[in-house]
Amino acid sequence: MDKNSYILITGANGFIGKNLTANLTAVGYTNLLLFDKDTAKESLAEFAQKCVFVFHLAGINRPQNTAEFYEGNASFTEHLLALLKDANNTCPVLVTSSTQATLDNDYGKSKLQAEEALFAYEKETGATVYCYRLPGVFGKWCRPNYNSVVATFCHNIANGEEIFVRDPSAEITLVYIDDVINAFMQALQGAPEKDGDYCTVLPVHSTTLGFLASAIQSFPQTRQLRTVPKMEDSLTRKLYSTYLSYLPTNAFAYELPMNIDERGSFTEFVRTDTYGQFSVNISKPGIVKGNHWHNTKNEKFLVVKGTGVIRFRNINETEVITYNVSGDTLTVVDIPTGYTHNIENTGDEDMVTLMWANEAFDPENPDTYFMLV
């Protein structure tokens, strides 16, 4: 797809529309025709003549009365398709439907009518259509306390408000907004994932309300514990990204407890169960820190400011190995087991060292033994 092509997005100011617009703009699409409820109605006919691809995301899910379901979902879709026919424009049309289209409720029935209109349009005109029956979608910019339990939980917990879980065992199916946008980008290039007549977004996350509540409720504690959620769990990783987007703007920053003495400071940044501990060490000029060795604990040192020297010695030998380090040339130095080691600030300013250890420090089992290099 030529990035100068005209692309129509209905529902452009909605949750999915905002994310799609931002990502299309970020990768260089310059002619986006954005249509939303505040856009002049006559603009839609003009857009239908110019566009070479349609993302039809507009819809109604919280109306004042049930008739609005059919007006905003079925009738508006039919109106858009009629405008495209009037313009003899058979460009591809992507429509977001809902998994509720299989249910016997007014929202689902209105979405099913929109689907039927889309497939009839495809049969009549030969235009390529992409229909996505989406489950619950979550991610940044989703409106809380509306129709997304994830948005509501994230917003309320990030802002110190209560959440209510009627049935923790209730099952819920979700897709993440970035995965939705990636699927749409594939469709834009004519290569969507399909399952029969419908296009799909992968992965789909099946979980429970109880898991969502407990996972999101654990996130504020990570600051005090200096931990991070389990990033190998893709759902938890995506929930954490979503949660952070709902933090109040005055709550992005948090202080760390610093261990300060006349030599400088040592501050633990992040500790994890599986990927070790990250810390920041500041040494005053002339200060030597370390002079100890470990059995299993191993470390990586990276001096990012100042100059210094790192010394090693196998505890069974006398030879001392030295590495000169500087913030001017970023160099990672591995600290092997069985070697006593120290680091000295040889400059005239504070030396700042980022340190990683393969395991978080345990005062009950420090695995640290004093020995001069």
Side-chain angles (χ1 to χ4, degrees), residues 42-62:
E42 57 270 18
S43 298
L44 191 59
E46 175 192 344
F47 292 168
Q49 291 180 333
K50 298 169 64 174
C51 63
V52 299
F53 196 100
V54 177
F55 289 99
H56 179 39
L57 314 179
I60 297 291
N61 52 33
R62 280 291 185 93

Side-chain angles (χ1 to χ4, degrees), residues 14 17 57 59 61 65 76 82 86-87 103 154 156 172 182 202 242 255 268 300 310 325 327 335 365:
L57 314 179
N61 52 33
N65 57 73
F76 183 64
D86 290 344
L103 302 180
C154 285
N156 288 12
I172 186 169
N182 288 339
L202 297 173
T242 303
E255 293 185 2
E268 185 180 285
K300 293 180 184 289
I310 298 174
V325 288
I335 311 298
N365 183 27

Side-chain angles (χ1 to χ4, degrees), residues 193-215:
E193 295 283 344
K194 296 202 74 174
D195 182 7
D197 291 333
Y198 295 92
C199 299
T200 58
V201 175
L202 297 173
V204 176
H205 301 282
S206 297
T207 186
T208 64
L209 287 178
F211 174 83
L212 291 178
S214 62

Side-chain angles (χ1 to χ4, degrees), residues 277 292-299 335-338 341 357-362 365-368:
Q277 174 179 302
H292 58 235
W293 62 278
H294 314 290
N295 280 308
T296 301
K297 185 190 297 292
N298 56 83
E299 301 165 291
I335 311 298
T337 56
H341 53 276
N358 68 315
E359 57 188 32
F361 179 72
D362 178 3
N365 183 27
D367 188 18
T368 301

